[in-house]
Amino acid sequence: SSGINAEYGGEWNDISPEMMLIETKAVATALSHRLSKPGTFFSDPATNKDIITELDCLVYGHLNAIFMTKLPSYRMKRALGLQPRLIEFCKYVEAKHDMRAQRS
């Protein structure tokens, strides 16, 4: 990632759409690599079973909002959707909690 806070001082409203897309792709790639195995970010060391943590909830909430929102430009959604692991993660969390979400 190019370090959005360093370059822009955290002022997201000053970022061009192109820079936002670059950052989105970088974050999507990093999350996808971190979620290289099916499941959640962390597992219980004793049982090796997935643990749904606050991080999983936060990531799920952000991803699901993007996937389910009709955006004026589909470039961000497409950038995230090109990482199939992120969609699998959302579906896994939904299945684990018997939730049903419809993606546009």
Side-chain angles (χ1 to χ4, degrees):
S1 172
S2 60
I4 198 81
N5 287 331
E7 288 184 38
Y8 295 99
E11 297 296 328
W12 286 94
N13 57 336
D14 294 336
I15 297 173
S16 70
E18 291 76 25
M19 189 57 160
M20 182 65 74
L21 188 59
I22 289 168
E23 290 294 324
T24 300
K25 287 179 180 178
V27 169
T29 300
L31 284 173
S32 189
H33 286 303
R34 179 60 182 87
L35 290 164
S36 59
K37 67 168 187 66
T40 57
F41 283 96
F42 299 100
S43 59
D44 183 335
T47 63
N48 205 29
K49 290 186 178 181
D50 290 325
I51 301 171
I52 294 186
T53 66
E54 291 86 356
L55 175 62
D56 297 293
C57 295
L58 182 68
V59 171
Y60 171 82
H62 278 79
L63 290 175
N64 202 45
I66 292 168
F67 288 141
M68 296 189 65
T69 302
K70 291 191 182 211
L71 301 172
S73 168
Y74 288 97
R75 291 170 37 181
M76 182 184 291
K77 188 183 293 192
R78 186 166 185 272
L80 291 173
L82 289 175
Q83 298 291 337
R85 185 64 200 103
L86 300 181
I87 296 170
E88 291 169 13
F89 168 75
C90 287
K91 289 179 179 178
Y92 180 85
V93 171
E94 290 163 6
K96 193 100 169 146
H97 290 285
D98 196 30
M99 298 184 307
R100 307 231 189 307
Q102 285 187 311
R103 287 177 181 73
S104 55

